[in-house]
Amino acid sequence: MASEKIVVCGGGGFIGGHLVADLLRQGKDVRAVDEKPLDEWYQRFPEAENLQLDLQEKENCERAIAGCSLVYNLSADMGGMGFIESNKALCMLSVLINTHLLMAAKDAGVERFLFSSSACVYAADKQTDPNVTALKEEDAYPAMAEDGYGWEKLFSERMCRHFLEDFGLTTRVPRYHNVYGPHGTYDGGREKAPAAICRKVIQAKLSGNHEIEVWGDGKQTRSFMWIDDCVKGTQMIMQGDYAEPLNLGSSELVTINELVDIAEEIAGVKLKRRYNLSAPKGVNGRNSDNTLIRKLFNWEPSTRLRNGLERTYHWIYDDMFSRSQRPAPLAQHTV
């Protein structure tokens, strides 16, 4: 496939940027597409063809995939729990992106189309206990997805299924579980728990105010997947023969308190914790059952959280420090 053109929609985002980087390392011909201005992309590579396009518009989807054989759709309006609980309509509008990309891909005769789904599709009644039973792919039904964001992902999964059944478009659907790593957002409201915790610990250490706010009671459980595992698994699923949605996540379950413990250990500090019980905290427990991906690929995401979080922490620390050293903008004077 080295000579085929590959498009990464959402290529200016966190996962998309890492995927573009890996494809380029393999010598692939890559087009990266994102709605954000080019200077706001998390990573941008001159070796790729980089386009700024709003993929909610069908004409832009047609332009984005023109001449491409493989389409990775990682594009969505999303963020961490603080964002998706407060922006349900914006999250739902991402359905326009996948709908128009699927229509364009069908008309253009692309070989394969991958839609990045989420563990937020899973039924809420299976995630009420922090001591959660790991979620199998079939646990998305009977449907009771995360309101807004989860329902958009579940609907788009069904769209992929029916474009395969009705039009013969080869579709693939990984369900991501909490991806983290460097070159992602860690402030501004869209950040996810690992990046947010790293930022808070760094701020507490540098300020000398050894206190941290934790959303919820800290007992809620999650698994977190290292970005390199995500990128590898995404390409395996794209190239594989399995057409149904497939978990792509770590099975290493931790509480949010344990996540803070790890960040504190990396930073060499111990902080007082203030628990904000009114803040968005999502479901009480969520973990990835990797039985099926192990059966299909003899592989699963396996990077230990401690190892990945240390690299993430140091990247965030360095980026925060470099931001603090930038000169302030000059004041504007009028005569």
Side-chain angles (χ1 to χ4, degrees):
M1 294 185 181
S3 62
E4 294 181 308
K5 188 91 170 181
I6 301 171
V7 61
V8 178
C9 300
F14 167 49
I15 300 175
H18 282 276
L19 177 59
V20 169
D22 193 67
L23 291 169
L24 290 171
R25 280 193 291 268
Q26 298 173 47
K28 306 293 187 183
D29 183 7
V30 181
R31 176 183 297 152
V33 183
D34 205 283
E35 180 184 20
K36 295 185 289 294
L38 293 175
D39 60 0
E40 295 179 13
W41 288 24
Y42 294 177
Q43 297 184 81
R44 180 157 50 96
F45 304 94
E47 313 97 286
E49 178 188 0
N50 299 306
L51 300 179
Q52 180 192 356
L53 295 171
D54 180 359
L55 294 177
Q56 292 190 31
E57 304 293 334
K58 185 171 182 289
E59 295 78 9
N60 288 339
C61 291
E62 292 168 349
R63 180 182 171 193
I65 70 168
C68 293
S69 300
L70 304 178
V71 177
Y72 287 90
N73 177 19
L74 310 180
S75 184
D77 200 346
M78 58 84 66
M81 191 53 60
F83 178 82
I84 66 176
E85 284 201 3
S86 303
N87 296 276
K88 294 184 175 70
L90 285 178
C91 291
M92 291 292 286
L93 285 171
S94 292
V95 75
L96 294 172
I97 299 172
N98 198 57
T99 301
H100 289 148
L101 279 173
L102 281 168
M103 295 169 69
K106 174 183 74 73
D107 293 343
V110 304
E111 292 180 13
R112 293 192 172 215
F113 181 102
L114 180 140
F115 169 69
S116 59
S117 188
S118 165
C120 287
V121 303
Y122 282 113
D125 62 356
K126 294 181 172 68
Q127 304 174 80
T128 58
D129 189 336
N131 299 310
V132 65
T133 300
L135 295 160
K136 295 180 180 290
E137 284 76 6
E138 59 264 29
D139 288 331
Y141 296 95
M144 196 189 305
E146 178 81 36
D147 199 11
Y149 179 70
W151 278 106
E152 185 277 322
K153 290 295 188 182
L154 193 61
F155 177 82
S156 292
E157 286 187 4
R158 304 299 295 187
M159 287 280 285
C160 289
R161 176 186 187 128
H162 298 312
F163 267 69
L164 171 62
E165 293 172 341
D166 294 357
F167 305 124
L169 175 62
T170 298
T171 56
R172 298 290 181 261
V173 181
R175 285 180 182 156
Y176 292 158
H177 288 248
N178 296 313
V179 188
Y180 74 98
H183 299 289
T185 186
Y186 56 83
D187 59 9
R190 291 180 183 258
E191 66 274 19
K192 295 190 175 184
I197 294 298
C198 286
R199 184 200 79 237
K200 291 178 180 181
V201 169
I202 292 167
Q203 288 172 332
K205 180 176 182 177
L206 294 180
S207 70
N209 179 19
H210 286 189
E211 187 172 274
I212 184 173
E213 181 185 79
V214 178
W215 287 7
D217 60 10
K219 298 177 183 177
Q220 62 269 37
T221 54
R222 294 290 187 277
S223 64
F224 299 100
M225 174 171 50
W226 173 241
I227 182 62
D228 292 356
D229 287 340
C230 177
V231 168
K232 179 177 180 177
T234 296
Q235 293 175 78
M236 290 173 64
I237 291 170
M238 171 65 106
Q239 296 159 8
D241 296 327
Y242 190 73
E244 296 294 324
L246 185 62
N247 276 339
L248 185 55
S250 169
S251 60
E252 181 187 356
L253 188 69
V254 297
T255 66
I256 298 301
N257 276 329
E258 289 169 337
L259 178 64
V260 177
D261 289 341
I262 296 170
E264 288 177 336
E265 179 190 341
I266 294 166
V269 296
K270 196 66 181 174
L271 307 176
K272 179 182 177 181
R273 300 179 191 183
R274 288 184 294 105
Y275 294 98
N276 185 347
L277 302 182
S278 63
K281 70 181 186 69
V283 296
N284 287 324
R286 177 182 293 155
N287 196 12
S288 178
D289 186 304
N290 289 342
T291 303
L292 186 52
I293 195 170
R294 286 197 305 267
K295 178 181 177 182
L296 293 170
F297 296 105
N298 193 30
W299 176 87
E300 66 177 307
S302 58
T303 301
R304 301 295 296 177
L305 178 60
R306 175 63 173 76
N307 297 336
L309 198 67
E310 182 167 15
R311 294 172 65 181
T312 304
Y313 176 95
H314 289 303
W315 180 85
I316 293 174
Y317 185 98
D318 290 344
D319 195 67
M320 289 175 65
F321 181 79
S322 68
R323 284 189 188 186
S324 71
Q325 299 303 302
R326 293 170 193 162
L330 295 174
Q332 297 295 312
H333 298 284
T334 57
V335 177

